[in-house]
Amino acid sequence: MQDKFSIDCHKCQRLVNFLNEVKVNYPNYHARPVPDFGDISPKLLIIGLAPGMHGANRTGRPFTGDFAGVLLYQTLYKYGFSNHAESMSMNDGLELIGCRITNAVKCLPPGNKPESNEIKNCNGYLSGEIAGFMAGRGVALLALGTVAHRAVLMAVSYTHLRAHETPEHLVCRLLLE
């Protein structure tokens, strides 16, 4: 099932409550669901776990403002996927080229550990992002970590599996079709 993402999503009460607490302690933080970012017709789709406390949760952009983002954006720049090597804020002029970044879970989870129902609640958003990616003839999905990997597999329809395929084979086949 595909859902249309909303920055005002309130599907997960635990995450809503946590973000409300974060907003009290850090009033200048984004502290809301974080949308995907980048080229609307990417060849590369990168899926992370969830917004980081002082990164995307602060800035409102995936992998912006934390160490993982420093490494990611430097690498994207090195290989021609961005117009500069740093992501500092939503207003820094950074553009991704042929690349889009999203998260399996759109809200900051306490302890950076989403619960299974929260991953499932966000999976409709991820499913829509992946469907758009594949319809646009995307070339490669890069899931960063186990939670993101499992969320990608969940987002892809298992009804398309052939008898000899694993979910990983299905993702590769759908990207190549």
Side-chain angles (χ1 to χ4, degrees):
M1 182 177 122
Q2 297 173 15
D3 296 332
K4 181 155 176 57
F5 174 75
S6 170
I7 200 166
D8 297 316
C9 178
H10 287 87
K11 289 182 181 182
C12 305
Q13 197 58 52
R14 181 181 86 110
L15 299 183
V16 169
N17 293 342
F18 184 62
L19 289 176
N20 288 338
E21 290 174 25
V22 169
K23 193 68 170 171
V24 168
N25 294 324
Y26 300 94
N28 295 324
Y29 275 29
H30 174 76
R32 299 173 78 183
V34 174
D36 53 354
F37 167 67
D39 194 323
I40 59 169
S41 298
K43 298 296 179 197
L44 172 63
L45 180 62
I46 300 171
I47 301 105
L49 167 65
M53 174 62 138
H54 302 293
N57 181 62
R58 177 177 55 85
T59 64
R61 181 193 286 166
F63 289 92
T64 298
D66 58 25
F67 186 68
V70 169
L71 296 174
L72 178 62
Y73 286 109
Q74 286 175 353
T75 302
L76 291 175
Y77 179 72
K78 179 179 178 180
Y79 291 98
F81 287 103
S82 70
N83 64 336
H84 55 82
E86 292 183 317
S87 180
M88 305 304 291
S89 73
M90 299 258 304
N91 302 314
D92 60 11
L94 176 67
E95 294 178 22
L96 297 184
I97 304 159
C99 178
R100 193 159 192 84
I101 302 172
T102 192
N103 282 306
V105 176
K106 303 298 185 186
C107 296
L108 168 71
N112 205 34
K113 294 182 181 180
E115 294 179 348
S116 60
N117 66 313
E118 295 160 351
I119 297 167
K120 288 178 186 173
N121 284 342
C122 278
N123 205 255
Y125 303 138
L126 182 60
S127 179
E129 292 165 353
I130 292 172
F133 172 71
M134 292 190 306
R137 307 311 296 161
V139 175
L141 286 165
L142 175 60
L144 303 175
T146 303
V147 172
H149 176 79
R150 288 181 181 155
V152 167
L153 297 178
M154 186 188 318
V156 177
S157 173
Y158 288 101
T159 59
H160 292 97
L161 282 175
R162 296 179 182 156
H164 64 282
E165 287 183 317
T166 65
E168 290 87 349
H169 288 120
L170 171 64
V171 171
C172 292
R173 181 173 50 81
L174 290 174
L175 289 170
L176 294 173
E177 289 179 348

